[in-house]
């Protein structure tokens, strides 16, 4: 009731309320657009990491033991009378740098922009788990699990807020087609 009176008042009393409402909406729009910017960057880096890990797993195809038609997908090589594990970890950072356009500096892989950086990556770990050298379960495949830490400075908050830091994870598997 009182708010309705203030709005209908023609003496200019509603001007501060209107300005506060517009500023509040502007602040909300800025926060929402920053949220979407962060989501787009994280999704792009996750897609790049996944593509790099898929490449690592598929580069192991030539190490995958010849019994694929029997349902095996592990990376093994015959050494004498026994089978030895044979996996290739490749260079995931190199592939990420090519996919995302990042450069290495001070232990980080940084995506530069006009002022500072858009994001930086660190702490990459890739674990390959080989399929067992036995026939049977199709759920046990040659798999790669990758983790990387991303840091994105916030453009919202005028530099007073700490950057977003999170760990991205992705998994890729090499499965026999038939």
């Amino acid at each position: 009731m009182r708010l309705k009176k203030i709005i209908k008042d023609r003496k200019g009393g509603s001007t501060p309320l209107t300005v506060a409402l517009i500023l509040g909406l502007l602040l909300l729009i800025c926060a929402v657009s920053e949220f979407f910017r962060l989501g787009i960057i994280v999704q792009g880096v996750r897609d790049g990491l996944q593509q790099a890990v898929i490449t690592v797993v598929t580069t192991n195809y030539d190490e995958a033991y010849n019994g694929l038609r029997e349902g095996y997908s592990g990376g093994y090589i015959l050494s004498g009378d026994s089978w030895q594990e044979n996996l290739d970890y490749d260079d995931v950072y190199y592939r990420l740098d090519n996919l995302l356009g990042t450069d290495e500096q001070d232990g980080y892989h940084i995506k530069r922009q006009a002022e500072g950086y858009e994001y930086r990556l660190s702490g990459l770990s890739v674990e390959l788990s080989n399929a067992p050298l036995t026939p049977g379960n199709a759920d046990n495949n040659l798999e790669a699990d990758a983790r990387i830490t991303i840091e994105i400075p916030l453009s919202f908050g005028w530099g007073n807020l700490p950057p977003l830091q999170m760990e991205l994870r992705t998994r890729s598997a090499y499965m026999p087609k038939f």
Side-chain angles (χ1 to χ4, degrees):
M1 191 73 110
R2 186 168 185 248
L3 182 63
K4 201 174 192 181
K5 250 185 187 179
I6 291 173
I7 293 174
K8 287 187 176 185
D9 185 15
R10 300 201 179 258
K11 296 180 185 176
S14 65
T15 304
L17 179 63
T18 305
V19 169
L21 182 63
I22 290 172
L23 287 175
L25 285 173
L26 188 61
L27 191 64
L28 181 65
I29 289 170
C30 288
V32 168
S33 66
E34 179 69 6
F35 175 77
F36 285 126
R37 182 184 79 87
L38 294 174
I40 289 169
I41 291 172
V42 167
Q43 185 63 41
V45 171
R46 182 179 295 125
D47 290 347
L49 179 63
Q50 186 172 23
Q51 182 63 36
V53 170
I54 287 171
T55 304
V56 167
V57 171
T58 55
T59 57
N60 277 292
Y61 83 94
D62 58 338
E63 279 87 18
Y65 134 75
N66 295 334
L68 277 177
R69 63 185 177 84
E70 308 294 333
Y72 299 105
S73 67
Y76 295 94
I77 190 167
L78 185 60
S79 176
D81 293 340
S82 64
W83 290 96
Q84 301 294 322
E85 193 170 72
N86 184 24
L87 297 174
D88 181 12
Y89 278 80
D90 206 5
D91 188 359
V92 179
Y93 265 137
Y94 173 77
R95 294 189 184 280
L96 270 176
D97 288 344
N98 286 336
L99 286 169
L100 301 175
T102 56
D103 298 314
E104 184 177 2
Q105 181 182 355
D106 299 330
Y108 292 100
H109 290 258
I110 300 172
K111 174 73 173 192
R112 303 211 176 280
Q113 61 181 17
E115 295 178 14
Y117 62 94
E118 185 176 353
Y119 59 84
R120 62 185 185 178
L121 307 170
S122 64
L124 174 69
S125 72
V126 178
E127 296 176 20
L128 291 176
S129 60
N130 211 353
L133 188 59
T134 58
N137 197 347
D139 293 336
N140 296 332
N141 295 305
L142 174 63
E143 293 183 348
D145 186 20
R147 299 172 187 205
I148 196 164
T149 302
I150 184 170
E151 180 181 305
I152 308 171
L154 301 178
S155 61
F156 184 74
W158 302 276
N160 295 324
L161 297 174
L164 169 73
Q165 283 189 337
M166 64 187 307
E167 182 181 77
L168 301 177
R169 297 175 68 186
T170 187
R171 173 171 273 166
S172 177
Y174 179 82
M175 295 191 276
K177 190 170 184 174
F178 300 103

